[in-house]
Amino acid sequence: EDQVTQSPEALRLQEGESSSLNCSYTVSGLRGLFWYRQDPGKGPEFLFTLYSAGEEKEKERLKATLTKKESFLHITAPKPEDSATYLCAVQLLGGGATNKLIFGTGTLLAVQP
Amino acid sequence: KAGVTQTPRYLIKTRGQQVTLSCSPISGHRSVSWYQQTPGQGLQFLFEYFSETQRNKGNFPGRFSGRQFSNSRSEMNVSTLELGDSALYLCASSLGHGGTEAFFGQGTRLTVV
């Protein structure tokens, strides 16, 4: 069964304390891996798409990387405004064209000043 | 550029009633997907529409249905509401069919009492 697992479930950091969030996946075939940020009561905000192992993308203090089994979201020198739930999702190959995403349960990040 | 618009933002319904939620995708986007988000199950895929045709469907009962109009706007309907249908319903807009990024709306918070 296709599965996405995120760890840790929750993470508390001090402002400026860098860390990484993990997304591991077990899927029949990966078309793409997506990272989203979600603030309370709002819809997920698109951050990155990664398509192949070794690929990396950066945006401000965030950097996403992809291997054949997992992805990491590295947060460098986080600020309180980076506090949110970070969601990882995969899009599968095969079964016809689709935009369907399979989501992990997310990592709740809290950055304290 | 306008984002994904979902209406209404909040809804309270009584068990047994039915409800219709609306989603207007980003201008030019032709694919709309719907997701249910609950604290226990996270984000679960409901269905996906492209060019007015349902292309993919998740594991939800037949009480959940949807449609897409010629202008790409989409509606989802839930009949015979149950308490367990209380959730945040999210619409995602994608440019094409398959392998493209999904951009989410703010969601409709449905409460069934």
Side-chain angles (χ1 to χ4, degrees):
Chain A
E1 183 185 350
D2 301 307
Q3 201 164 8
V4 179
T5 304
Q6 290 189 246
S7 62
E9 288 186 14
L11 181 62
R12 188 185 299 257
L13 300 173
Q14 290 296 125
E15 185 172 2
E17 179 187 2
S18 301
S19 187
S20 296
L21 312 183
N22 177 261
C23 171
S24 63
Y25 57 91
T26 306
V27 298
S28 48
L30 181 72
R31 181 188 299 275
L33 185 141
F34 298 75
W35 282 98
Y36 288 87
R37 167 196 170 125
Q38 187 174 26
D39 292 302
K42 296 191 175 183
E45 174 190 346
F46 173 78
L47 293 174
F48 305 108
T49 310
L50 302 166
Y51 290 105
S52 55
E55 189 174 359
E56 298 182 352
K57 288 192 177 173
E58 286 188 68
K59 179 181 178 180
E60 296 179 356
R61 295 177 293 282
L62 301 177
K63 178 180 176 180
T65 61
L66 181 66
T67 72
K68 289 188 177 180
K69 294 183 178 180
E70 59 191 348
S71 176
F72 291 94
L73 184 66
H74 307 279
I75 304 177
T76 302
K79 298 182 178 182
E81 53 261 42
D82 294 323
S83 298
T85 295
Y86 289 86
L87 296 163
C88 166
V90 298
Q91 202 172 70
L92 303 182
L93 274 175
T98 180
N99 290 317
K100 173 185 174 181
L101 294 170
I102 300 173
F103 280 87
T105 51
T107 293
L108 176 60
L109 174 66
V111 182
Q112 295 183 314
Chain B
K1 180 175 174 180
V4 181
T5 303
Q6 291 189 244
T7 56
R9 287 294 313 278
Y10 304 93
L11 210 47
I12 300 175
K13 289 286 187 180
T14 304
R15 207 168 31 172
Q17 287 186 313
Q18 74 162 13
V19 67
T20 299
L21 312 181
S22 178
C23 172
S24 293
I26 293 169
S27 178
H29 283 199
R30 296 172 61 196
S31 176
V32 172
S33 299
W34 288 88
Y35 292 82
Q36 180 195 67
Q37 186 174 31
T38 59
Q41 299 296 318
L43 273 139
Q44 303 274 305
F45 173 77
L46 280 158
F47 26 66
E48 172 185 7
Y49 287 88
F50 179 78
S51 292
E52 302 176 65
T53 302
Q54 187 178 93
R55 303 291 179 154
N56 210 338
K57 190 176 190 306
N59 295 323
F60 279 83
R63 300 185 296 106
F64 292 81
S65 63
R67 59 178 175 168
Q68 186 181 34
F69 302 96
S70 58
N71 62 358
S72 295
R73 191 177 70 86
S74 177
E75 289 181 348
M76 68 163 281
N77 184 79
V78 188
S79 62
T80 319
L81 283 165
E82 300 177 359
L83 296 179
D85 297 333
S86 295
L88 181 65
Y89 289 89
L90 292 159
C91 165
S93 164
S94 300
L95 182 62
H97 181 46
T100 58
E101 288 90 354
F103 299 91
F104 284 83
Q106 297 287 47
T108 294
R109 170 71 65 185
L110 172 65
T111 302
V112 182
V113 298

